[in-house]
Amino acid sequence: MSAFNAIGEEREIDRDEFTPEIEPQATWCPGCGDFGVLKALKQAMPEVGRNPEETLLVTGIGCSGKLSSYFRSYGFHSIHGRSLPVARAAKMANPDLEVIAAGGDGDGYGIGGNHFMHTARENHDMTYIVFDNEIFGLTKGQTSPTSPKGHKSKTQPHGSAKQPIRPLSLALTSGASYVARTAAVNPNQAKEILAEAMEHDGFAHVDFLTQCPTWNKDAKQYVPYIDVQDSDDYDFDITDRGEASEMMQEAENALYEGTVLTGRFYHDEDRPSYQQEKQATGDMPEEPLAERYFDDDYEWERSYDLLERHK
Amino acid sequence: MTDDELIWRIAGGSGDGIDSTSQNFAKALMRSGLNVFTHRHYPSRIRGGHTYVEIRAKDEPVKSRGDNYNFLLALGDSFARNPQEEAYYGNEEIKPLSENLDELREGGVIVYDSGLLDASEIENFDQRAEENDWHVYDLDLRGLAKEHGREVMRNTAGVGATAALLDMDLEHIEGLMEDAMSGDVLEANLQILEEAYESVNEDYEHTHDLRAPTGSADEEQVLVSGSHGIAYGALDEGCRFISGYPMTPWTDVYTIMTQHLPEMGGISEQVEDEIAAASLAIGASHAGAKAMSGSSGGGFALMSEPLGLAEITETPIVLVEAMRAGPSTGMPTKPEQGDLEHVLYTSQGDSNRVVFAPGDPAECYEQTRKAFEIAYEYQIPAIVLYDQKLSGGHQTVPEDVFDEEPNPDIGSVVTEQDLEEAVQEAGRFKRYMYDDEESGFGGVSRRSLPGQKGGNYLASGNEHNEVGHISEDPDNRTIQMNRRMAKLDAIRTELSEEADHQPVYGPEDADYGILSFGSTKGVIEEAVDQLNDEGHSVKAMNVSDIMPFPKDEVTAFLESVDESLVVEMNASAQFRRHIQGQLGRFGEKLYSLLKYDGNPFEPEEIVSGFESRLGEEADLSQYNVRIESATGD
Ligand SMILES: Cc1ncc(C[n+]2csc(CCOP(=O)(O)OP(=O)(O)O)c2C)c(N)n1
Ligand code: SF4
């Protein structure tokens, strides 16, 4: 019998199952966009048919990192910027789990930027949600990698001299096979995109625009957004890298000029996930590694059998 | 110095096949029934530059590289030849010969490749040879190799000449070549081997006395390094996940694991940096695999924060730290024991970890297994601390050390039945439960694995309450801290119950002691034998449990002696400080013997260090060692 009896359990799943029985006191400010992510995620879960116990949510540090506290599933609240390496190894050890990683823009594009690039490159089968509020929230409003050029904060009193990171383009060029942007002010789109991201077999990156009313009063996430899929003005093929890339650049330029474009930007359904690639080269077992420790019949190989070469 | 032992040094250019040649020769000696110990010396560059490997072979157990050496095979450095000779750069032609002379024993034998080296270019060579009674044989090894095969095969010619001069049978050497090569390459090598062997016997008068010792070891032996010990220990404990980033000398254990994991159904991941490496090990372990990572000094520094994360989330992991000389990138290819305090104290807060420091390849195997058992049973990070010397040096180890059953037990994990009961009783599973009776032993609260029904919880790097919610409640904080800290005492007790825990070497009632940790074990044992033969009264303890520290054993040891030398390869006496810190006394009894020049201790240095401490006549100025007394009590 499987050691992981919650995995693959088929039944109706209710979104309320993802609410902790004893809700911990929320530390998010009133009006914070993070509530929108939580809500969208809870709504998306029943759509993908995953139950809380076969889901592993790994978060980083920041206001965004608290997501795992308010979401009932297996959770891992790791350290600043490191949700991706924790998450992708868990997925490799037990590919049957639904693995989601989440964190802020400082967490994901700043301190964790290297991991972002490499996880996307490897195309791990997982979903990565970045709460993009263009600010460091938890440490009280410092400039973040997505803060616009000229943005003033306590750590950049004369205004930031840096160009902001372009998360969508970065994800695409690094190798992510699904890239989307949504916003907390648009719950329906957010839910659909998160569900699609989870169903996608590869690295799905969702840049999730969240407002931080406490520290980033003039962030563009408040303005009405345009869904690029719903508008006739934006016609592009999301399976075409070139067209997707152009559209992403347009969206990234527009954001700092006051137009918020959201939606699906890239979707490559053909690219094999990292796990599939690794299995193809014989570098990864077909059965979940984690299962093996519970299989009494498994024959464990011994180092003794390797000694021939040392004689 | 006695000549019942052979210490053969092969010197040449790094990248010239010295490593593989010496490995084979060492194995041939082992197959003839001898005990073998190898020492690698190489510069921090990829090709070219002077390098040597030393092989010490003896009928009795060999535990160190020994003092100096008695047979030099000097090959030319193909990467140091001048451009006219179709080679690349440099002007180091005669180094393989000149660089090595200082350590050659009186009466020693020199074979050099006259096809590449010219002894007459070395200042006072003939005079030095005469004064030291060196027996010099110049052979055109390169020419011989070229004639029958390719120039690189001059190593084989050198081995053939060695065998002839030492009166060795070619049988074992040939057998090894047949195992490793085939076809034309094998034919050519065999021919070169025999030609060299015969030409030395026919054309040269053998003026020296040195002969290869005859071996009588009857148990099956294998020639392995400390890195093999660690990798094989991990495999036998069911470790099937490793993540790493290359760094010398940790790369040794990392590559051995990587070579075997795919065929054993495991996973090896080379990742973007060491923070990721340790974090991956945490993720894999959290999801239910036995996982390991590791690095050397600088890379381990990057693991500091994930290390604390493993501690507070109580995720079992094993990390390997292969020390090399620091600070910073220091000397990448040189051993030192300077990361002890780094490994003990890195990471924020009162964080606990278990640290083992094996002293030889067999201990590497056993203690890595122990590290996994403790890590998974107590849900705490465990570190295997060793160094460059133990990482690359090979030693004969009885084969049956490895003849152990695998252990795939993943420690204190709940079953589905436990979860059902927990949910029925308390409404939910309490991952970080602090009821001692319920949670069992030593502060451990059992964990569930993602996918187990009824076991969901949040593992958080922030302080958390019983169910995993982030909490800054003072009472909860105190209890959780106490619970996590209680693990070390429980582990100390468990470890101390093992038979022959922290064994003492030498006469039980000796007046003086020597304390050490890690790779200095063997050389100290040799020094202890020598000192006792000379009429001193000395015993030694190589401490392998660094954390939790075996307080009772070390206290008993120190109480039983008048004073003790603490021998370690670093400049600031970190191990001595650790002993004093752990025991809170004995300052007046402790003296340090320190070496940090990048080379491991030789027995003579320890003997002299000991004697000079006793006020006897011993000239320490010829060695790069320092004696220092402890402060405080
Ligand atoms: C290694 C490390 N450096 C710095 C911090 C402090 N820190 C905590 S959260 C944070 C930034 C959070 O910003 P962001 O990731 O954008 O998330 P938000 O709070 O806005 O959701 C920082 C710098 C830390 N916890 N760890
Ligand atoms: S500081 Fe900003 S990001 Fe953090 S909880 Fe408050 S509103 Fe949200």
Side-chain angles (χ1 to χ4, degrees), chain A residues 61-64 80 104-107 111 133 135-139, chain B residues 305:
Chain A
I61 298 294
C63 298
S64 47
H80 197 34
D105 40 77
D107 187 84
I111 191 165
N133 57 10
I135 200 86
F136 280 16
L138 192 70
T139 45
Chain B
E305 216 194 352

Side-chain angles (χ1 to χ4, degrees), chain A residues 27-34 63-64 133 135 137-138 211-215:
Chain A
T27 56
W28 289 332
C29 310
C32 173
D34 295 7
C63 298
S64 47
N133 57 10
I135 200 86
L138 192 70
Q211 65 276 20
C212 171
T214 305
W215 303 112

Side-chain angles (χ1 to χ4, degrees), chain B residues 204-453:
Chain B
Y204 293 82
E205 195 193 330
H206 299 192
T207 58
H208 59 278
D209 299 329
L210 183 67
R211 295 288 177 272
T214 43
S216 60
D218 48 7
E219 55 187 341
E220 275 297 329
Q221 304 229 72
V222 289
L223 188 64
V224 291
S225 67
S227 295
H228 285 109
I230 292 176
Y232 291 176
L235 291 174
D236 284 354
E237 275 306 301
C239 170
R240 290 295 181 275
F241 187 97
I242 192 168
S243 43
Y245 189 85
M247 185 167 189
T248 304
W250 136 260
T251 313
D252 279 356
V253 80
Y254 179 39
T255 35
I256 298 168
M257 288 295 283
T258 304
Q259 275 161 10
H260 297 300
L261 278 177
E263 75 203 36
M264 291 186 164
I267 299 173
S268 169
E269 272 290 284
Q270 179 176 331
V271 295
E272 56 272 26
D273 58 36
E274 287 84 354
I275 309 178
S279 301
L280 261 92
I282 291 172
S285 173
H286 180 73
K290 280 189 158 177
M292 172 160 114
S293 184
S295 192
S296 294
F300 190 78
L302 293 186
M303 295 182 166
S304 171
E305 216 194 352
L307 181 70
L309 178 67
E311 148 78 3
I312 194 168
T313 57
E314 305 184 55
T315 313
I317 49 165
V318 173
L319 298 177
V320 173
E321 220 269 31
M323 294 182 279
R324 64 192 219 185
S328 193
T329 25
M331 296 199 284
T333 62
K334 302 290 177 211
E336 199 168 275
Q337 296 177 309
D339 292 348
L340 176 65
E341 289 181 343
H342 177 45
V343 159
L344 280 170
Y345 305 122
T346 188
S347 192
Q348 62 271 47
D350 295 308
S351 65
N352 286 325
R353 78 262 348 227
V354 176
V355 183
F356 292 104
D360 55 40
E363 284 191 356
C364 283
Y365 176 80
E366 287 149 10
Q367 287 169 25
T368 303
R369 295 202 64 159
K370 192 46 70 190
F372 271 94
E373 270 170 48
I374 297 288
Y376 278 78
E377 191 176 314
Y378 289 89
Q379 303 172 8
I380 188 169
I383 296 168
V384 180
L385 179 68
Y386 76 138
D387 62 45
Q388 188 271 349
K389 166 174 142 66
L390 198 46
S391 165
H394 284 63
Q395 201 176 332
T396 37
V397 176
E399 183 185 348
D400 62 19
V401 165
F402 299 94
D403 193 9
E404 297 281 327
E405 286 305 308
N407 174 25
D409 180 19
I410 51 169
S412 37
V413 170
V414 287
T415 62
E416 285 152 28
Q417 218 173 358
D418 296 332
L419 284 171
E420 261 171 51
E421 284 164 22
V423 175
Q424 256 169 20
E425 270 172 39
R428 65 167 306 170
F429 168 59
K430 293 182 178 168
R431 162 65 178 100
Y432 299 108
M433 171 143 72
Y434 38 65
D435 176 347
D436 239 6
E437 244 169 72
E438 292 261 3
S439 65
F441 54 96
V444 177
S445 53
R446 285 173 306 162
R447 64 182 181 133
S448 59
L449 302 174
Q452 283 186 314
K453 196 170 178 171

Side-chain angles (χ1 to χ4, degrees), chain A residues 1-309:
Chain A
M1 185 186 147
S2 160
F4 305 105
N5 52 349
I7 294 178
E9 198 189 6
E10 277 190 43
R11 57 178 176 82
E12 281 285 300
I13 291 155
D14 189 282
R15 76 171 87 143
D16 290 335
E17 288 183 38
F18 295 90
T19 306
E21 303 92 327
I22 322 154
E23 184 125 29
Q25 214 186 349
T27 56
W28 289 332
C29 310
C32 173
D34 295 7
F35 288 108
V37 186
L38 176 62
K39 191 170 162 206
L41 187 61
K42 280 186 191 173
Q43 286 179 333
M45 292 312 298
E47 304 226 341
V48 284
R50 291 292 208 164
N51 70 55
E53 289 153 325
E54 61 187 327
T55 305
L56 176 64
L57 174 61
V58 185
T59 54
I61 298 294
C63 298
S64 47
K66 299 278 175 66
L67 181 71
S68 50
S69 298
Y70 312 131
F71 184 79
R72 181 178 168 257
S73 71
Y74 275 93
F76 201 113
H77 181 222
S78 65
I79 41 180
H80 197 34
R82 318 298 167 198
S83 64
L84 286 175
V86 172
R88 69 196 210 220
K91 181 73 184 180
M92 294 175 87
N94 192 349
D96 290 345
L97 296 172
E98 181 65 42
V99 175
I100 306 163
D105 40 77
D107 187 84
Y109 306 144
I111 191 165
N114 196 22
H115 308 311
F116 177 50
M117 207 164 79
H118 286 275
T119 313
R121 164 168 90 107
E122 290 163 359
N123 198 31
H124 287 268
D125 181 13
M126 56 184 285
T127 301
Y128 184 37
I129 308 169
V130 180
F131 295 52
D132 189 355
N133 57 10
E134 298 178 15
I135 200 86
F136 280 16
L138 192 70
T139 45
K140 302 195 163 105
Q142 298 84 357
T143 311
S144 101
T146 50
S147 300
K149 195 168 173 210
H151 175 88
K152 287 188 181 170
S153 72
K154 281 184 196 151
T155 49
Q156 256 86 14
H158 303 292
S160 168
K162 301 179 195 188
Q163 285 289 347
I165 288 267
R166 294 164 160 266
L168 308 174
S169 302
L170 185 60
L172 182 76
T173 46
S174 301
S177 49
Y178 181 92
V179 185
R181 169 176 273 171
T182 187
V185 288
N186 182 14
N188 286 334
Q189 186 202 47
K191 177 195 79 177
E192 278 166 31
I193 283 182
L194 288 183
E196 197 173 270
M198 282 187 266
E199 272 160 0
H200 172 69
D201 294 331
F203 186 70
H205 168 234
V206 180
D207 187 63
F208 206 122
L209 301 175
T210 52
Q211 65 276 20
C212 171
T214 305
W215 303 112
N216 203 12
K217 303 232 187 291
D218 41 45
K220 307 293 180 295
Q221 300 92 322
Y222 302 108
V223 306
Y225 66 91
I226 300 163
D227 184 331
V228 292
Q229 263 83 32
D230 271 0
S231 162
D232 293 339
D233 297 343
Y234 303 97
D235 180 31
F236 71 106
D237 177 2
I238 61 164
T239 65
D240 185 287
R241 271 187 95 82
E243 289 186 29
S245 167
E246 266 178 45
M247 192 59 227
M248 285 174 184
Q249 286 174 40
E250 192 173 336
E252 281 162 341
N253 289 335
L255 183 65
Y256 297 106
E257 286 154 13
T259 309
V260 183
L261 303 180
T262 63
R264 299 148 177 88
F265 288 86
Y266 185 60
H267 195 174
D268 178 355
E269 287 180 276
D270 299 329
R271 185 174 169 204
S273 69
Y274 184 62
Q275 174 196 343
Q276 288 164 333
E277 301 266 23
K278 221 168 145 77
Q279 280 174 342
T281 61
D283 246 9
M284 189 171 158
E286 299 285 334
E287 295 297 312
L289 187 51
E291 288 268 356
R292 192 177 306 160
Y293 297 91
F294 297 88
D295 180 354
D296 292 339
D297 298 327
Y298 187 82
E299 290 258 345
W300 289 85
E301 283 174 82
R302 305 190 311 157
S303 70
Y304 189 75
D305 303 329
L306 305 170
L307 290 184
E308 216 42 54
R309 74 197 78 192

